Amino acid sequence: MLTAPEAVPRPTAPAPPPPARRPARRSVLATARPYLLIAPTLVGTAFLLLYPLARNILMSFQHFRMAELIHGGASFVGLANYTQVLSDPDFWTVVRRTLWWTALNTALIMLFGTLIALMLARLGRWMRFAVMSGLVLTWATPVIAATTIFQWLFQSRFGVVNWSLDKLGFSSFRDYAWFAHSGSTFFILVALVVWQSVPFAALTLYGGLTTIPAELYEAARLDGAGAWQTFRLVTFPVLRPLFALVTSLEVIWCFKCFAQIWVISQGGPGDATTTLPVYAFQIAQSLHKYDLGSAVSTLTVLILAGALVFNLRRMFRQEGEAL
């Protein structure tokens, strides 16, 4: 007996996916929360940095002396202060001295910082830890404390430097007055600034060295490259941006250096160690010509900004050519 074939069930179409839930609209408070968190920092930065800068620029266009400081009512004089400063030959002498001071210190800092960074990469674990600890302690020493120590070291009658040189047979340095001569004072200040700045450069560059793949050095050794060729062809090209960044930071540090010079020599003897920050302070505080001091400090910022822009543009151009 024939039976009717069983009905084949028809496939059912898949159920459509549920409609995507629209994200809940963020409240105004949730949107503004990140900005509220950084608002105290921005307000503090504006108060501590932007307001003094704006006030200094405004004062440089005014006649602002002791009478205006006490009674107020400073009058605008336009570019008269800048004209007076730029027409003063002493200003250009100080500018040249500041550029020479910055270039010398930056070159020595980068030289010793690079050598110490390369040395750290070759030291053993415990010796590296000891050297890095010494660098960190040097870097953490307050500026005034380090400056006072250098004053003691080079003191004419009881300083360790004169005593050591005398014991080594250099009797001409017995009771030698280091701070009475322009050349020796300049040398001490350079040594102080370099000593304080090398730790930052060395530790930063050493951190960069640890990121270079070992295969690059192995390939250089197989090709017969020496130490200098390896640094010139491998280390420096890889760390070029880091070298440019550290150099820019050291230029800023050396260019605006004030505390060490003022504590040790106050720009003397004569004007041998007077740089632009010291020159601006001398005009404003010693002569009470706050308008001219503000003009000098504003020009100092402009010169430094111009040098940094030139350095950064060159760095970006080199990076573009490398790519």
Side-chain angles (χ1 to χ4, degrees):
M1 182 177 181
L2 296 175
T3 58
E6 297 181 359
V8 179
R10 299 177 63 182
T12 59
R21 299 180 59 184
R22 299 179 62 183
R25 184 174 298 177
R26 298 181 64 184
S27 63
V28 177
L29 180 60
T31 305
R33 183 175 300 170
Y35 302 99
L36 294 176
L37 292 176
I38 65 174
T41 303
L42 294 178
V43 172
T45 302
F47 180 76
L48 296 176
L49 296 179
L50 297 182
Y51 173 74
L53 178 61
R55 188 71 180 89
N56 183 82
I57 295 175
L58 176 62
M59 194 183 301
S60 66
F61 292 100
Q62 296 176 328
H63 179 81
F64 203 101
R65 304 295 172 90
M66 182 63 71
E68 287 75 15
L69 178 65
I70 298 175
H71 303 290
S75 59
F76 283 90
V77 294
L79 298 176
N81 293 325
Y82 290 96
T83 303
Q84 182 175 348
V85 169
L86 294 175
S87 60
D88 187 358
D90 292 338
F91 171 77
W92 295 108
T93 301
V94 174
V95 169
R96 288 190 294 270
R97 185 183 300 116
T98 305
L99 295 177
W100 162 242
W101 159 270
T102 303
L104 177 61
N105 280 282
T106 303
L108 292 176
I109 291 168
M110 295 305 299
L111 173 63
F112 289 114
T114 303
L115 293 177
I116 293 176
L118 294 173
M119 180 188 68
L120 288 172
R122 294 176 176 269
L123 292 177
R125 177 181 178 183
W126 293 108
M127 185 59 68
R128 184 187 304 118
F129 175 77
V131 175
M132 292 180 68
S133 299
L135 292 173
V136 170
L137 291 175
T138 301
W139 190 18
T141 304
V143 173
I144 300 301
T147 305
T148 304
I149 291 173
F150 266 70
Q151 284 181 309
W152 291 344
L153 289 174
F154 290 92
Q155 209 272 339
S156 59
R157 296 191 59 187
F158 304 105
V160 174
V161 174
N162 282 356
W163 177 84
S164 301
L165 292 175
D166 184 36
K167 293 298 182 181
L168 291 174
F170 299 96
S171 58
S172 59
F173 285 95
R174 182 181 302 172
D175 297 336
Y176 181 78
W178 291 86
F179 301 108
H181 303 83
S182 58
S184 57
T185 304
F186 193 87
F187 162 77
I188 294 172
L189 287 170
V190 169
L192 172 59
V193 172
V194 170
W195 179 80
Q196 289 180 310
S197 306
V198 160
F200 171 77
L203 294 175
T204 304
L205 294 176
Y206 170 70
L209 288 173
T210 59
T211 64
I212 300 178
E215 292 80 4
L216 296 179
Y217 291 115
E218 184 65 24
R221 283 193 294 269
L222 292 177
D223 291 338
W228 167 246
Q229 291 177 322
T230 301
F231 176 81
R232 184 172 60 88
L233 299 176
V234 177
T235 304
F236 185 76
V238 174
L239 297 182
R240 186 191 303 271
L242 186 60
F243 274 97
L245 176 61
V246 175
T247 301
S248 299
L249 294 176
E250 295 300 342
V251 167
I252 296 174
W253 164 259
C254 297
F255 196 92
K256 69 182 185 64
C257 184
F258 171 79
Q260 300 90 327
I261 299 176
W262 187 257
V263 171
I264 285 184
S265 65
Q266 297 186 359
D271 294 326
T273 58
T274 299
T275 58
L276 280 173
V278 177
Y279 184 64
F281 187 81
Q282 288 175 340
I283 294 176
Q285 296 299 323
S286 300
L287 303 178
H288 302 294
K289 297 180 179 180
Y290 306 106
D291 45 5
L292 297 180
S294 299
V296 172
S297 60
T298 302
L299 291 172
T300 301
V301 174
L302 293 177
I303 294 173
L304 180 58
L308 292 177
V309 168
F310 173 78
N311 187 36
L312 292 176
R313 288 187 60 184
R314 185 180 61 176
M315 180 184 70
F316 291 139
R317 188 183 306 113
Q318 291 174 350
E319 287 299 312
E321 294 174 355
L323 294 177

